[in-house]
Amino acid sequence: MRVVYTDPAWALDARGRPDPSRADLERGILGPEVSVEFGPFESGTDPGPADGAQVGPSADGGFVTCGDQLFEAARGADALVIYRCQVTSELVEALRPSCRVVARSGVGFDNLRPDLLATAGIYGFNVPDYCGDEVSTHTVALLLGLERQICVQDRLVRDNRWGIHRGGIPRRTAERTVGIVGFGRIGRASARKLQPFYHRVLAHDPYVAADLMASHGVAPVPSLRELFARSDAVVIHAALTPETDGLVGAAALGAAGPGSLLVNTARGRLVDTKAVLDALDTGQLAGFASDVFAPEDPNASPTARKLLARNDVIVSSHRAFLSAESELSLRRRIAAGVRAVLVDDAPPPEGRLA
């Protein structure tokens, strides 16, 4: 049986090329009856075509999976493991009829397209909880960096502009309220870590019961606008779906009190960067921190590049999930889920999406 990994970041060598020898963990879990192959990809290029599109080099820091080459590699595969590669109708067609499972190496499933997989009777699964500690810690780090103006002070001192009061005077977080958009696994982990720093934690999630929020010591808020209106800082942990695409835009930010802070460690497309830029210009927002953008590298977007020039913005390169432990855990659980389907003839243990 064949398992094709389309774009595994952990498999890249020092030159940014896939090294088959790095899949020893996967081969050990999948067993001798399963071969592990890598699809056509390399570092520094864009992973995600629309249906029928060819993918070429870009500066977004992702991975390339070129249309016809990918389809050829996928044909006859019993399983496909994707990272940033997009599942498209053409890819699903190439996978028929041999493929039994497609796994997404990550928390989100926006590029997994379970609706398309379901049409072909293919299992689909992600791993929604492998990096909750890492992402929640990264979220708190970004928010506290904004609160204490750490990055501004760092730049000033390095620029020989030492000064206690330069960069602004921080506020006392113990007297402030923080709001959370999305109260799933990671939102709950962030709530626990934020509670020692903030006076009050609120959350908005129409799919989570108020009683569950209360059990975590968090007060539910019925609307996104009310959450922004009542919070001094907001962190985003919502999933990217058609419903949440562009969720945080001018309307939500317009409800925020002057001097609010915003942190996004979920998905870039949840936030309208133009609206953020406008809110920073007017003082509605006093700071913005983000681990994610659309496109991935904010340097590839004229609007996002304007954010990068500002002292009230902190960014990182979509690595909130990353640690040595989380990466190994994800690899093990993906391989175990694929083995369950191919070898044990069972649904993937992480749950069936398609």
Side-chain angles (χ1 to χ4, degrees):
M1 291 177 284
R2 295 175 59 226
V3 178
V4 176
Y5 282 71
T6 61
D7 54 337
W10 49 263
L12 294 174
D13 61 19
R15 298 173 299 170
R17 298 174 182 173
D19 178 0
S21 69
R22 298 194 175 199
D24 53 344
L25 184 151
E26 286 71 20
R27 292 187 179 93
I29 293 173
L30 290 165
E33 59 266 70
V34 180
S35 69
V36 176
E37 304 173 14
F38 293 155
F41 77 107
E42 58 190 57
S43 64
T45 46
D46 187 336
D51 281 5
Q54 293 293 316
V55 180
S58 77
D60 82 338
F63 302 94
V64 67
T65 307
C66 294
D68 291 341
Q69 297 176 38
L70 172 63
F71 303 149
E72 187 60 33
R75 286 190 181 92
D78 298 277
L80 195 73
V81 179
I82 65 173
Y83 173 38
R84 295 177 180 171
C85 174
Q86 299 284 332
V87 171
T88 67
S89 57
E90 287 187 333
L91 179 56
V92 171
E93 191 60 35
L95 290 169
R96 285 174 166 167
S98 61
C99 186
R100 298 171 60 191
V101 59
V102 176
R104 200 261 158 166
S105 291
V107 171
F109 55 87
D110 40 290
N111 62 323
L112 184 59
R113 297 295 304 276
D115 55 329
L116 287 179
L117 297 179
T119 64
I122 299 172
Y123 280 116
F125 73 95
N126 61 343
V127 185
D129 54 4
Y130 79 98
C131 61
D133 179 59
E134 287 78 7
V135 176
S136 57
T137 296
H138 200 88
T139 301
V140 175
L142 289 175
L143 180 54
L144 294 181
L146 288 176
E147 290 279 16
R148 300 301 304 171
Q149 287 130 13
I150 299 296
C151 293
V152 178
Q153 271 281 301
D154 176 79
R155 286 193 291 268
L156 287 170
V157 175
R158 291 172 185 271
D159 195 34
N160 196 24
R161 298 172 63 195
W162 189 97
I164 293 172
H165 289 84
R166 283 181 170 171
I169 300 176
R171 60 194 186 183
R172 181 174 289 177
T173 61
E175 297 179 0
R176 301 292 173 165
T177 296
V178 62
I180 301 174
V181 180
F183 204 66
R185 296 172 179 87
I186 297 175
R188 296 166 202 177
S190 288
R192 174 174 56 83
K193 294 177 181 181
L194 288 166
Q195 282 163 339
F197 296 103
Y198 287 85
H199 172 67
R200 187 170 176 80
V201 180
L202 313 177
H204 169 68
D205 191 324
Y207 301 102
V208 175
D211 289 340
L212 189 150
M213 292 185 185
S215 72
H216 289 271
V218 173
V221 177
S223 74
L224 186 66
R225 283 182 59 85
E226 183 178 343
L227 183 80
F228 273 88
R230 294 173 57 185
S231 301
D232 298 292
V234 172
V235 301
I236 303 173
H237 290 307
L240 177 61
T241 67
E243 179 186 6
T244 60
D245 201 340
L247 180 69
V248 179
L253 294 175
S260 296
L261 303 176
L262 178 63
V263 175
N264 184 15
T265 54
R267 285 291 186 270
R269 282 169 50 188
L270 294 171
V271 174
D272 180 345
T273 53
K274 176 61 166 59
V276 168
L277 187 61
D278 291 342
L280 290 168
D281 284 340
T282 63
Q284 201 86 23
L285 285 180
F288 174 60
S290 190
D291 183 54
V292 287
F293 289 89
E296 286 269 50
D297 184 347
N299 291 288
S301 162
T303 302
R305 278 202 306 272
K306 294 178 182 178
L307 290 173
L308 300 182
R310 302 181 65 107
N311 283 332
D312 50 9
V313 172
I314 301 175
V315 297
S316 54
S317 51
H318 200 163
R319 53 180 276 135
F321 66 89
L322 187 61
S323 72
E325 293 83 359
S326 67
E327 187 169 75
L328 285 174
S329 176
L330 179 62
R331 291 174 61 187
R332 290 190 188 102
R333 293 171 68 181
I334 288 291
V338 170
R339 179 184 169 85
V341 176
L342 297 188
V343 179
D344 303 329
D345 199 25
E350 303 299 341
R352 181 176 179 176
L353 293 179

